[in-house]
Amino acid sequence: MKSKSFRIFWLFLATALLINLLQSYFTPLIFDEAYYWYYAQNLAWGYFDHPPMVALMVALGSYFFDGELGVRLVSCLLSAGTLAVLWATVDDPRKKRYVTAFFILVFSMALLNAYGFFTLPDTPLLFFTALFLYVYKRFLTDTSAGWAIIMGLVMAGLMYSKYHAALVIIFVLLSNLKLLANKYAWLALLVALLTYVPHFIWLYQHDFVTIQYHLFDRPNAPYSFEKYTLGFFVNLMAIFGLTFPWIYLSLFRTKSTDTFTRALLYLVYGVLIFFFVSSFNRRVQTQWIIVTAIPLAIITFRRMMHDEKINRSIITAGLINIAIILYLRIGLVYEELSPVYYETHGNKALAKEMKSKIGDTPLVFINSYRNAPMFAFYTGNDTYSMNNAYYRRNQYSIDDSELRLQHRKVLYFSRRPEKADITFTKSNGGTFYGEFIENFESFRKLETIVDGPIRMDTLKELTLKIHNPYDRPVELDKLRFNVAYLTDFKKVKNAILIHPRPIDGQLLALPPNDTTYFKFKLPAPKMKNPSYFRVGISDNGLPFGLNGKNTEILY
């Protein structure tokens, strides 16, 4: 019996892996995957939005295969690994009779299914969460230096995957505060921190740009019950589909009978409460709570083995889920079979058309860290995302992509039909308006600094510092300046031209690798009580950029 269940388990797992590999090969990239592929072109210990694990995954897979399969290979392997670890974590001897039920449960989880082949930071996050829980369970029964070191390495893997991993570690710790007096638990923490040092160094070298963005600079919007809090509850259902009532029923019926089960419960309830509270401040994205799928898979599978009614209900609803998911997965590949237009559709064909008409001409996109890597992947051309004052910073803001395009002929997608030299239309009807620039030159890395906060009612002249990080002077006659006023939610409301006066009146250019001082008057805002302002720079008539940090305004 054991041998038969063993063979059935590995048959299911191998079939799932094969399906995911085939899906990976035939499905065009989604925009986020293209962005992470772009990360992987220059491996580093960190990136603007995320830690480096997702880039390493792409680089490893691309070493063995070209194209989409290379981007997704490691994701497919980690997904299979996640299921194997989940199975190993459940040590109930009755599980050998529920192999099929286990796979119906995990295959029916919509997002867990998607992360079976998409390469996103959540894919390694799910794998390392499952592995962390498995290792923690072993650590509880064999509290030794060996398991402590392994647990420390797994914790580092968690944190190298996504910053949300901190919640996994924190809530497991809160479930067992006796760990604070355990020398081996401290050893695990020390190993994790030492392993994470390279990323800490990267953050320091880049002025903690990732932390700064996620905690302080990310734009928000006024609270909306429908979009924020109600949306949070919709997400709780969406990550599981039709099986959600029985999954949450299994959660509610599970009691904290041992230390490991308490860790599972703390992890689920902790993450859900954390993001429920967050929903009163910002929209909670569905993938932010996907980590709960790991402990809930364990909790639910345990319940299925003890409650035949729940088992039958999940199998029935799960099979319907799986049928829907399979249909949608086919639609990712074949646009004509998809009930909706999805982001895998149209980009590959459009890139082929672009390549045939413009050859190797570099592509410059306005405000699109999505399009720039997507068309770099499918055309092989150099691309660049030029971010203006109404957008947000991203990896293109801190890397050298701008430098590769200087003084070259580029196709600039201006979004202005009247300026278009050439147009391209996607299958969904979206149009790209391309304008050729014969000698492209931009200075997006110029940094404007205004010390604050400032009081609007006592304002006279302000000092503006402009740092030029380039190795050559930047002529002032190529630059224009403005002040962008922002709301309390860091949204730009209006922008007004200004004319800063160099303290050195004879200044004609910003000296290289140096900071220059100017004086300017803050113009009267055309909005009521702005909360922040920042100074932007337009280079050679291009849109004003994101050149400075937000300066707080006091009243």
Side-chain angles (χ1 to χ4, degrees):
M1 183 69 180
K2 182 178 179 180
S3 177
K4 181 180 179 181
S5 65
F6 181 83
R7 290 196 302 270
I8 293 172
F9 175 84
W10 288 106
L11 179 62
F12 270 120
L13 193 65
T15 302
L17 176 59
L18 178 61
I19 290 172
N20 285 334
L21 289 171
L22 290 171
Q23 181 93 53
S24 298
Y25 179 81
F26 289 106
T27 306
L29 296 187
I30 64 173
F31 286 110
D32 281 355
E33 287 182 298
Y35 189 42
Y36 303 136
W37 167 83
Y38 176 69
Y39 280 8
Q41 304 316 295
N42 291 285
L43 286 178
W45 285 106
Y47 297 90
F48 183 90
D49 312 78
H50 294 292
M53 184 65 73
V54 69
L56 179 61
M57 291 165 56
V58 175
L60 286 174
S62 298
Y63 179 80
F64 294 99
F65 295 101
D66 295 327
E68 293 90 349
L69 182 57
V71 173
R72 295 173 173 145
L73 175 65
V74 176
S75 291
C76 295
L77 298 176
L78 288 185
S79 174
T82 300
L83 300 184
V85 172
L86 280 174
W87 179 258
T89 304
V90 179
D91 51 12
D92 191 317
R94 284 173 292 186
K95 71 180 183 180
K96 62 178 179 286
R97 294 189 284 114
Y98 291 88
V99 177
T100 303
F102 171 79
F103 278 100
I104 290 175
L105 170 66
V106 294
F107 287 168
S108 71
M109 294 181 173
L111 283 189
L112 196 62
N113 206 284
Y115 295 136
F117 64 96
F118 283 142
T119 293
L120 303 166
D122 304 276
T123 306
L125 176 67
L126 290 171
F127 170 75
F128 282 107
T129 298
L131 189 58
F132 174 64
L133 291 175
Y134 173 82
V135 172
Y136 176 65
K137 188 174 185 180
R138 297 295 174 263
F139 178 79
L140 291 175
T141 57
D142 180 12
T143 306
S144 62
W147 280 113
I149 291 170
I150 294 171
M151 188 160 66
L153 294 174
V154 174
M155 289 162 63
L158 266 170
M159 290 301 300
Y160 272 119
S161 299
K162 197 171 183 179
Y163 295 120
H164 287 131
L167 297 177
V168 177
I169 299 169
I170 289 170
F171 288 123
V172 170
L173 171 62
L174 289 176
S175 74
N176 184 11
L177 291 178
K178 291 181 180 179
L179 291 172
L180 295 174
N182 187 312
K183 64 180 181 180
Y184 293 114
W186 284 102
L187 173 61
L189 180 62
L190 178 62
V191 169
L193 290 174
L194 288 175
T195 310
Y196 208 59
V197 163
H199 184 61
F200 285 135
I201 294 173
W202 183 91
L203 286 171
Y204 174 77
Q205 292 173 338
H206 291 81
D207 298 321
F208 297 95
V209 63
T210 311
I211 308 300
Q212 179 74 25
Y213 170 72
H214 284 301
L215 295 184
F216 304 109
D217 292 341
R218 197 167 190 154
N220 205 352
Y223 174 73
S224 164
F225 175 77
E226 292 80 9
K227 292 181 180 179
Y228 287 16
T229 306
L230 182 60
F232 166 76
F233 287 106
V234 171
N235 288 340
L236 294 185
M237 298 181 286
I239 61 175
F240 299 120
L242 298 176
T243 59
F244 83 89
W246 298 281
I247 288 176
Y248 290 114
L249 180 62
S250 299
L251 172 66
F252 299 148
R253 288 184 175 177
T254 298
K255 306 300 180 184
S256 179
T257 55
D258 58 79
T259 305
F260 181 69
T261 301
R262 187 163 63 249
L264 298 177
L265 295 174
Y266 266 66
L267 178 52
V268 176
Y269 284 119
V271 169
L272 295 185
I273 291 171
F274 178 87
F275 284 114
F276 171 68
V277 174
S278 298
S279 75
F280 292 97
N281 175 258
R282 64 179 65 247
R283 185 173 68 87
V284 175
Q285 297 180 23
T286 312
Q287 67 268 25
W288 292 358
I289 56 176
I290 185 59
V291 73
T292 61
I294 297 300
L296 281 173
I298 298 171
I299 289 169
T300 305
F301 184 52
R302 283 175 165 183
R303 179 59 54 181
M304 291 170 70
M305 291 187 291
H306 288 81
D307 189 326
E308 278 302 319
K309 185 177 180 180
I310 285 181
N311 183 51
R312 288 194 300 271
S313 298
I314 287 180
I315 288 175
T316 302
L319 289 172
I320 298 172
N321 264 2
I322 291 170
I324 295 171
I325 290 169
L326 287 175
Y327 173 68
L328 294 175
R329 287 179 63 156
I330 293 172
L332 292 176
V333 181
Y334 299 104
E335 183 176 347
E336 60 273 15
L337 297 179
S338 177
V340 295
Y341 179 85
Y342 196 62
E343 58 186 90
T344 57
H345 301 150
N347 297 308
K348 201 169 183 177
L350 182 58
K352 184 178 181 181
E353 181 188 357
M354 285 183 181
K355 190 71 174 178
S356 68
K357 292 183 177 179
I358 65 170
D360 295 330
T361 303
L363 308 171
V364 178
F365 296 87
I366 280 287
N367 295 348
S368 189
Y369 71 92
R370 292 158 59 87
N371 281 324
M374 180 67 78
F375 289 98
F377 182 84
Y378 282 117
T379 66
N381 294 19
D382 286 331
T383 65
Y384 175 52
S385 175
M386 176 178 287
N387 310 312
N388 71 19
Y390 294 88
Y391 198 49
R392 76 165 182 89
R393 301 184 73 203
N394 48 61
Q395 184 63 23
Y396 290 91
S397 304
I398 64 173
D399 65 16
D400 65 352
S401 52
E402 177 193 50
L403 297 178
R404 295 196 297 269
L405 272 61
Q406 298 304 295
H407 304 292
R408 296 172 65 184
K409 179 181 179 180
V410 305
L411 183 61
Y412 170 65
F413 291 104
S414 65
R415 299 183 179 174
R416 296 182 293 182
E418 70 279 5
K419 289 279 191 177
D421 297 312
I422 188 172
T423 61
F424 301 95
T425 302
K426 282 182 70 170
S427 57
N428 68 339
T431 303
F432 290 72
Y433 301 101
E435 173 187 349
F436 287 107
I437 297 178
E438 294 295 330
N439 183 19
F440 179 78
E441 183 182 47
S442 67
F443 307 105
R444 295 282 122 167
K445 293 185 184 296
L446 292 176
E447 183 182 4
T448 60
I449 305 163
V450 179
D451 295 327
I454 61 99
R455 294 195 64 87
M456 186 70 86
D457 54 355
T458 60
L459 202 56
K460 294 184 181 178
E461 271 197 326
L462 293 177
T463 299
L464 168 65
K465 293 178 280 187
I466 302 180
H467 178 68
N468 175 13
Y470 298 101
D471 293 328
R472 66 181 183 86
V474 176
E475 295 84 350
L476 285 175
D477 61 5
K478 294 181 177 180
L479 308 178
R480 293 187 303 152
F481 303 86
N482 77 357
V483 165
Y485 286 105
L486 295 87
T487 67
D488 189 43
F489 299 99
K490 300 181 178 68
K491 294 287 184 69
V492 174
K493 199 71 174 179
N494 71 275
I496 304 170
L497 281 172
I498 60 171
H499 303 281
R501 171 175 49 85
I503 292 180
D504 180 357
Q506 305 302 312
L507 189 71
L508 298 177
L510 301 173
N513 298 305
D514 200 359
T515 300
T516 309
Y517 289 76
F518 293 75
K519 290 289 185 181
F520 77 103
K521 288 186 177 180
L522 200 63
K526 298 176 182 177
M527 61 179 289
K528 185 178 181 181
N529 296 333
S531 296
Y532 305 91
F533 76 90
R534 64 170 176 251
V535 177
I537 298 176
S538 167
D539 32 12
N540 292 305
L542 295 168
F544 283 91
L546 286 162
N547 302 95
K549 295 180 180 178
N550 300 330
T551 301
E552 185 180 4
I553 299 173
L554 303 178
Y555 293 92

